[in-house]
Amino acid sequence: GSHEALCDNKGSYSYESLNTSVKNLSIGFADMGLRKSDKVILQLDNCNEFVIVCFALMSMGVIPILAVPGLRVNDLDIIAKKANPVMYIRPDEYMGFIYAETGRKLQIMNPSIKYVLGTSDINKMMEQSNNSAVEIEQPKAEDIGLILLSGGTTNIPKLIPVTHYAFAYHASEAGKTCRFNRETIYMAVMPVEHKLTLFSPGIMGTLFCGGKVVMCSDSSCETAFSLIEEEQVNVVSLVPSVAKMWVEDLEWDDSYDFSAYKKRIKKLTKKVNNAASSSNASVNEKRFYTLKKELDVVDDELDHLDDEFEHAYENGKLSFKVYKSRETTIEKLENQLDLLENALENKFGIDD
């Protein structure tokens, strides 16, 4: 229906429009000559097109071989030599890398590849409403639905076939275990070619239960956190290294509340600005040291706080990033106090 199913930074699809795009694309593939059991190297980044292409291929029994965007022509050639794909689907550009030359070289190296399509080609095909005369043969549950890649210990990609039944069952049961439902807003952060992101429960598990999938183009904190806020994401699946990076980034912003010190320094700034000098030297001296004592109290407290943070860091209770973040904040506050002291000395003519 009209419930939102899928989005990335370029647009979104309802369940109805997603189904239409998948159907249009499968008809377009059939018209190009793709048939059940053909293989296609699918190398796209985390974008709407990946989901649509993957579903379109699987719906007609064509087997996508899922290759992460980081693989280059030599890696892809090894895969192609093993699998004899008839098509290679690539990004137009991702992370500054242009894939057109990769497609050209791969096709020369592997005569089985009849077609090379970029993201822009896929989008044009999705927009075409086709009524093909070609009859599309439906796959069976026990047929191979897709092929995952595993680097193994030799870094030579190994092909891992997964049946339609296997990934559908896995995604469905994992979705139930994780309590996915229509309110689930899942963000695909890790590469979509990985089992974790695709069907554990991932994209498939979310769509199977009527939730919404948000495609995140990279795992950087800046990109991901912005999407989480914008799309109200409530589920992500991460590998430990990325989870650690996110936590450390949040820690860098830090939860320690320095607002009380900032308010005190703001009040002291007003006092210093409003302080009046006198022609009487002893009065000036008294006013100067009264205000300076207040500055020194705050400065001493910040020094003590800095020592506490350093001790916590040395005992493993604070990460280095958190410690440096707090130390930087304290230095800024102490710099403000130094400026206030300089202003006092200039106002009362006392060099302490």
Side-chain angles (χ1 to χ4, degrees):
S2 59
H3 184 62
E4 193 173 10
L6 176 69
C7 73
D8 63 10
N9 59 1
K10 300 186 294 296
S12 64
Y13 290 82
S14 66
Y15 273 86
E16 184 177 0
S17 61
L18 176 61
N19 185 58
T20 299
S21 295
V22 168
K23 184 180 178 182
N24 287 345
L25 196 56
S26 64
I27 291 171
F29 284 148
D31 285 344
M32 293 175 74
L34 266 64
R35 296 293 181 267
K36 183 181 174 183
S37 300
D38 281 343
K39 298 182 187 70
V40 172
I41 295 180
L42 176 57
Q43 184 185 38
L44 292 178
D45 52 294
N46 289 22
C47 59
N48 290 342
E49 290 85 356
F50 171 87
V51 177
I52 297 167
V53 171
C54 194
F55 279 28
L57 294 173
M58 292 189 300
S59 71
M60 54 192 300
V62 176
I63 304 167
I65 302 168
L66 307 183
V68 294
L71 295 182
R72 297 296 180 246
V73 68
N74 290 337
D75 303 304
L76 296 170
D77 180 50
I78 294 171
I79 297 164
K81 292 288 192 291
K82 290 183 177 181
N84 295 311
V86 297
M87 182 181 287
Y88 167 52
I89 299 175
R90 56 165 179 78
D92 292 332
E93 178 273 335
Y94 180 65
M95 294 292 185
F97 185 80
I98 308 298
Y99 287 79
E101 184 65 11
T102 299
R104 189 187 69 81
K105 288 181 178 178
L106 190 64
Q107 194 169 22
I108 291 171
M109 297 160 77
N110 295 274
S112 68
I113 299 176
K114 298 175 184 176
Y115 302 100
V116 175
L117 300 179
T119 315
S120 55
D121 301 314
I122 294 298
N123 281 306
K124 288 176 186 175
M125 290 176 66
M126 286 192 295
E127 292 167 3
Q128 296 171 357
S129 181
N130 298 315
N131 288 306
S132 176
V134 178
E135 186 176 345
I136 298 176
E137 186 180 355
Q138 300 298 308
K140 297 176 182 177
E142 63 270 21
D143 290 339
I144 295 173
L146 56 86
I147 293 176
L148 302 174
L149 297 180
S150 172
T153 56
T154 60
N155 290 325
I156 297 174
K158 296 176 183 177
L159 308 186
I160 305 171
V162 184
T163 65
H164 288 272
Y165 175 82
F167 70 68
Y169 177 81
H170 193 96
S172 177
E173 291 303 306
K176 290 176 186 175
T177 301
C178 296
R179 299 179 181 177
F180 278 22
N181 54 44
R182 278 177 56 87
E183 305 304 314
T184 297
I185 304 176
Y186 172 81
M187 185 166 73
V189 180
M190 306 312 299
V192 282
E193 294 81 6
H194 290 175
K195 175 181 174 181
L196 173 69
T197 314
L198 189 56
F199 59 87
S200 295
I203 293 167
M204 292 185 184
T206 304
L207 295 176
F208 287 174
C209 69
K212 173 182 170 182
V213 173
V214 178
M215 303 298 278
C216 184
S217 60
D218 65 81
S219 62
S220 70
C221 300
E222 183 179 359
T223 303
F225 292 174
S226 175
L227 268 180
I228 288 171
E229 184 176 4
E230 184 179 332
E231 300 293 340
Q232 297 296 295
V233 171
N234 51 30
V235 181
V236 295
S237 49
L238 305 172
V239 295
S241 59
V242 174
K244 184 173 182 288
M245 178 183 74
W246 283 17
V247 169
E248 287 178 350
D249 188 83
L250 289 171
E251 287 177 340
W252 178 262
D253 292 334
D254 197 43
S255 59
Y256 191 85
D257 188 2
F258 285 95
S259 60
Y261 291 103
K262 292 175 182 177
K263 287 178 182 176
R264 288 168 69 184
I265 292 173
K266 190 174 182 179
K267 286 181 180 178
L268 284 171
T269 301
K270 280 188 177 181
K271 281 188 177 182
V272 171
N273 290 338
N274 294 333
S277 60
S278 170
S279 56
N280 187 312
S282 62
V283 171
N284 279 343
E285 188 173 317
K286 182 178 180 181
R287 289 175 180 173
F288 172 82
Y289 282 107
T290 299
L291 285 170
K292 186 176 185 303
K293 185 177 180 181
E294 290 187 57
L295 295 176
D296 288 343
V297 168
V298 178
D299 193 41
D300 288 343
E301 287 181 21
L302 288 172
D303 283 339
H304 180 68
L305 192 62
D306 194 22
D307 289 340
E308 284 185 5
F309 293 153
E310 184 176 4
H311 183 70
Y313 164 64
E314 289 172 348
N315 285 279
K317 295 179 180 179
L318 287 181
S319 70
F320 177 73
K321 280 191 174 184
V322 173
Y323 168 58
K324 291 304 293 183
S325 174
R326 294 183 182 184
E327 186 180 50
T328 299
T329 302
I330 288 172
E331 285 175 357
K332 288 178 181 178
L333 295 173
E334 289 180 331
N335 286 339
Q336 291 179 44
L337 293 172
D338 288 340
L339 291 172
L340 288 177
E341 187 173 340
N342 290 338
L344 267 182
E345 289 176 349
N346 291 332
K347 180 169 282 193
F348 293 106
I350 298 174
D351 185 6
D352 185 49

